[in-house]
Amino acid sequence: LAYRLRMPASYGMHPALPEYEVEEIIGECMTRKAGKRAIREYRVRFKGYGPSDDQWLDRHDLKNAPEI
């Protein structure tokens, strides 16, 4: 599976930012930030990048990846 992430225009960021494709979801966990409820996060590997570039992203960060 591959997912393409796109930054919404409402972010007000420079439009030349690259798009990253999620190659694989390699982990999942629940985290709790101080004073907030637990959220599910996914460890993702981006296409063309190695394990050192893996990131934990929540569902909000992956909202442009409809297959999630």
Side-chain angles (χ1 to χ4, degrees):
L1 293 175
Y3 302 93
R4 183 175 298 264
L5 303 176
R6 295 187 185 138
M7 304 298 283
S10 63
Y11 279 15
M13 301 176 115
H14 193 277
L17 290 175
E19 292 180 354
Y20 295 96
E21 286 188 54
V22 176
E23 179 175 33
E24 182 178 7
I25 294 174
I26 57 174
E28 181 179 331
C29 72
M30 295 294 287
T31 59
R32 182 181 302 270
K33 309 250 180 195
K36 297 189 177 187
R37 66 181 209 201
I39 59 168
R40 186 176 312 275
E41 291 187 315
Y42 303 93
R43 187 166 181 89
V44 298
R45 176 146 316 139
F46 296 102
K47 187 174 183 178
Y49 293 86
S52 64
D53 296 306
D54 292 352
Q55 292 186 18
W56 286 100
L57 301 175
D58 65 24
R59 188 173 182 183
H60 180 276
D61 295 328
L62 296 168
K63 69 182 178 183
N64 290 324
E67 287 83 8
I68 295 272

